[in-house]
């Protein structure tokens, strides 16, 4: 397959939006679709070369995988080496263990499976995982582990129908992604079977199933349409938009751009062939490898000081491009030049040795518990809460639904007690984290629980966080259970946002008309990172009270606005913020040893007990006032 400068230019159009999106440059809200552009390019180039070699009877699986090893692994392992050193220096033991697991997954080209399994709601934020970006490499390598074999079989036993078979396989992959997206968006994002159609789209163009335009007019129209699609989704897209819509627009756009110069260069092809754009395309693989670890360590551990967020972003861009150039010049090009001289045995032997060494290192790190001796004991003790398991406290899978696959256990979670007042706690995880504390602080009350992840306690749909499991649960609570049972008090709690106030207002109006006694529990203090990490950093950096400066802005103002709105609707308002914060300071520990929260906002078990104790004083006061008025 002949070299095409415009495809290197398209690589630039793929990697720069990803770089800007991850670093936080304004205006690139859909920049993450650069990965989808890479998938289409990869499918076009690699499958096109396999197709040509098979037709020429010169294809060899050994040579193919040797080329993949020399193309992918050298730069990747250099990045692994440097990132691992940074992880050893900066990561707390729990974080280093998680890093080691992700490194083992990345080395084995299965990190996409690892991240899909660990992408739970309460897992560490994506911004703290230095190797998260290797998921896309896993998708590609798994695709190319299988596809050459399938192409060999298809061309041998069904050569006339091979193209059609590939098209059917791509359609099945897309159909599977569409079907699974309603149940598990995480799997659709990370896993190869649901991403394969994007690589297959490029492959279908390369093997001629998708026709390329012949005339200049159609080439230019095809290129312009594709470029507009790409620019539109990059600049106007959003991570909150349906995933398949975003990936489809990007993949189709990339396919049109490549097709536009298949039979002769288009105007868009000429634009993408400009030297500065091609240069970025040439270093795009190394740029993709390096930009994310640098971004993560800068955000979590401040690799370098900066006068402002804007200067930090600019420095990250310059540093990423500079290191990418060195990686391309000193690692990628020399190893590519060795392709002809290196035997398959040498390439496979070196790769196997390197992989075995990394596996050994990862295993040792896990065995020694993340090397805790690197840090003071108190920092390690606090940092251990980064791996906090909240499932028992939240009653996950029964009373708190984390996924669409879990079933709500009404018999356990909403069982009425004829000997005690019955309170029903409804909402999302910020309701669930209060249940154990309220139940402990108020044993004289039967605290029932109906909660689901991201689920706003609303009678009517309308929240952008609504999911199928949320709506099913809310319909059961408000349209069935509360209609047919007498409840002493309904407690509504959530990670409230400003956009939730209109929905909450209508819910309060409806429940008031039904004669339901409602108390709204306001938002809790939150931070821009996990509180245990911030508290450990106070020790490591000798910066007392620095965690208090990392509180998420606007929550106190939202708390006051909610109080005014809720009381105006005739309901009771209880400030969770005031239960934790006072005189400009927020309590960061539930007792001398245990952090109040285990992530950026959710309470630990002891934190819940302490906050429940404080809230119970006001709940009893309101209950006494209600009893006196009756």
């Amino acid at each position: 397959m002949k070299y095409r400068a415009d495809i290197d230019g398209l690589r630039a159009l793929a990697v720069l939006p990803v770089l800007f999106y991850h670093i936080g440059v304004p205006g690139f809200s859909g920049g993450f679709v650069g990965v989808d552009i890479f998938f289409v390019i990869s499918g076009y180039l690699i499958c096109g070369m396999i197709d040509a070699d098979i037709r020429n009877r010169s294809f060899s699986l050994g040579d193919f995988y040797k080329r993949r090893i020399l193309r992918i692994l050298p730069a990747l392992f250099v990045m692994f080496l440097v990132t691992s050193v940074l992880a050893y220096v900066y990561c707390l033991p729990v974080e280093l263990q998680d890093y080691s697991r992700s490194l083992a997954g990345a080395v084995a080209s299965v990190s996409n499976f690892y991240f899909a399994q660990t992408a739970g709601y309460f897992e560490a934020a994506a911004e703290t995982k230095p190797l998260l970006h290797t998921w896309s490499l896993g998708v590609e390598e798994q695709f190319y582990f299988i596809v050459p074999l399938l192409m060999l079989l298809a061309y041998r036993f069904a050569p006339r129908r091979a193209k059609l078979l590939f098209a059917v396989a791509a359609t099945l992959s897309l159909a599977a992604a569409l079907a699974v997206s309603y149940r598990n968006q995480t799997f659709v994002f990370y896993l190869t079977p649901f991403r394969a159609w994007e690589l297959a789209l490029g492959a279908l163009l390369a093997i001629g199933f998708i026709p390329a335009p012949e005339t200049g007019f159609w080439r230019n129209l095809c290129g312009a349409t594709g470029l507009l699609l790409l620019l539109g989704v990059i600049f106007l897209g959003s991570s909150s938009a349906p995933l398949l819509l975003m990936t489809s627009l990007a993949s189709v756009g990339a396919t049109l751009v490549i097709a536009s110069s298949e039979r002769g260069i288009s105007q868009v092809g000429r634009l993408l062939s400009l030297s500065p754009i091609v240069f970025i395309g040439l270093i795009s693989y190394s740029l993709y490898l390096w930009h994310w670890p640098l971004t993560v360590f800068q955000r979590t551990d401040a690799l370098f000081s900066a006068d402002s967020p804007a200067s930090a972003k600019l420095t990250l861009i310059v540093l990423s491009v500079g290191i990418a150039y060195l990686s391309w010049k000193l690692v990628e090009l020399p190893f590519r030049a060795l392709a002809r001289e290196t035997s398959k045995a040498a390439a496979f032997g070196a790769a196997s040795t390197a992989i075995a060494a990394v596996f050994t290192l990862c295993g040792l790190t896990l065995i020694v518990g993340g090397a805790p001796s690197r840090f003071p004991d108190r920092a390690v003790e606090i940092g251990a809460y980064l791996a906090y398991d909240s499932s028992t406290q939240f009653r996950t899978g029964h009373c708190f639904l984390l996924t669409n696959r879990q079933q709500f256990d009404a018999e356990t979670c909403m069982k009425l007690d004829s000997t005690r007042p019955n309170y029903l706690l409804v909402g999302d995880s910020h309701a669930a984290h209060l249940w154990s504390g309220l139940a402990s602080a108020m044993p004289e009350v039967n605290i029932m629980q109906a909660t689901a992840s991201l689920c706003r306690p609303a009678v009517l749909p309308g929240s952008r966080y609504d999911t199928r499991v949320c709506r099913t649960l809310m319909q059961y609570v408000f349209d069935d259970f509360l209609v047919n049972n007498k409840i002493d008090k309904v407690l509504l709690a959530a990670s409230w946002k400003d956009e939730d106030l209109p929905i909450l207002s209508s819910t309060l109006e409806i429940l008031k008309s039904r004669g339901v006694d409602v108390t709204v529990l306001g938002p809790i203090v939150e931070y821009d990172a996990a509180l245990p990490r911030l508290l450990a950093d106070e020790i490591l950096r000798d910066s007392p009270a620095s965690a208090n400066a990392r509180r998420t802005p606007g929550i106190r103002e939202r708390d006051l606005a909610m109080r005014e709105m809720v009381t105006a609707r005739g309901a009771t308002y209880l400030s969770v913020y005031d239960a934790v914060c006072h005189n400009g300071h927020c309590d960061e520990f539930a007792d001398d040893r245990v952090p109040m929260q285990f992530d950026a906002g959710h309470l630990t078990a002891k934190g819940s007990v302490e906050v429940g104790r404080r809230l119970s004083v006001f709940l009893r006061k309101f209950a006494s006032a209600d009893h006196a008025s009756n």
Side-chain angles (χ1 to χ4, degrees), residues 216 219-220 223-224 227 260-261 264-273:
R219 288 198 298 269
N220 289 328
L227 183 61
S260 71
S261 296
I265 194 74
S266 66
Q267 293 299 323
V268 167
R270 289 191 175 90
L271 175 64
L272 293 175
S273 299

Side-chain angles (χ1 to χ4, degrees), residues 287-548:
L287 184 54
Y288 182 77
L289 289 182
W290 284 98
H291 85 281
W292 181 247
L294 292 173
T295 301
V296 168
F297 283 113
Q298 174 59 22
R299 286 177 178 170
T300 57
D301 301 285
L303 289 175
F304 55 83
S305 59
D307 296 331
S308 67
S311 63
K313 292 174 183 177
L314 180 60
T315 303
L316 271 175
I317 292 171
V318 173
L319 191 61
S320 297
V321 172
I323 295 177
Y325 172 75
L326 293 176
S327 173
W328 172 71
K329 188 74 173 178
L330 302 179
V331 182
E332 287 191 64
L333 291 183
F335 274 93
R336 284 192 214 174
L338 293 174
R340 291 185 178 180
E341 303 172 8
T342 305
S343 67
K344 291 189 284 291
F348 293 142
S352 299
T353 301
I355 290 171
V358 173
F359 277 142
T360 301
L361 180 63
C362 292
L364 290 174
T365 302
L366 295 175
I367 289 172
V368 301
S373 60
R374 296 172 297 136
F375 301 110
D377 291 344
R378 180 60 176 146
V380 172
E381 180 186 5
I382 294 173
Y385 283 90
L386 292 169
Y388 184 83
D389 183 0
S390 63
S391 57
T392 300
Q393 173 193 344
F394 283 50
R395 301 199 286 182
T396 301
H398 305 285
C399 306
F400 172 64
L401 304 183
L402 197 54
T403 71
N404 289 332
R405 299 183 299 278
Q406 295 173 342
Q407 297 294 320
F408 185 72
D409 184 0
E411 179 62 26
T412 299
C413 309
M414 297 175 65
K415 186 175 182 179
L416 294 166
D417 188 337
S418 60
T419 65
R420 296 182 292 170
N422 292 288
Y423 288 9
L424 176 59
L425 177 63
V426 187
D428 61 11
S429 59
H430 282 236
H433 76 171
L434 291 171
W435 177 83
S436 61
L438 291 174
S440 172
M442 303 178 68
E444 74 279 8
V445 176
N446 176 36
I447 307 289
M448 299 178 291
Q449 178 186 355
T451 54
S453 176
L454 297 174
C455 189
R456 300 299 191 260
V459 176
L460 302 175
S463 171
R464 67 186 177 100
Y465 300 107
D466 275 346
T467 61
R468 178 171 54 83
V469 69
C470 174
R471 283 280 44 134
T472 300
L473 181 60
M474 292 302 102
Q475 288 171 1
Y476 171 69
V477 168
F478 292 117
D479 299 332
D480 184 348
F481 185 82
L482 289 178
V483 171
N484 297 304
N485 296 278
K486 175 62 177 176
I487 302 299
D488 295 283
K489 190 180 292 291
V490 172
L491 308 175
L492 305 181
S495 176
W496 302 107
K497 302 294 184 285
D498 292 338
E499 66 195 58
D500 298 322
L501 269 61
I503 299 173
L504 175 60
S505 178
S506 63
T507 295
L508 294 177
E509 296 283 1
I510 293 171
L511 294 181
K512 181 180 179 181
S513 69
R514 298 178 183 177
V516 178
D517 184 357
V518 180
T519 293
V520 175
L521 302 171
I524 195 171
V525 59
E526 296 181 38
Y527 300 84
D528 65 4
L531 180 60
R533 177 73 214 210
L534 298 178
L535 296 175
D537 283 344
E538 287 186 346
I539 299 171
L540 298 176
R541 300 174 183 175
D542 193 22
S543 56
S546 62
N548 211 48

Side-chain angles (χ1 to χ4, degrees), residues 166-182 188 191-201 204 243-245 247-249 251-252:
F166 299 150
V168 170
T171 303
L172 290 175
S173 172
L174 178 58
L178 183 62
V180 175
S181 64
Y182 291 100
V188 174
L191 300 188
T192 304
F194 312 118
R195 289 284 193 169
W197 65 272
E198 298 178 59
L199 291 106
L201 201 59
L204 290 172
L243 175 63
L244 281 179
L245 174 62
T247 58
S248 298
L249 291 174
S251 299
V252 171

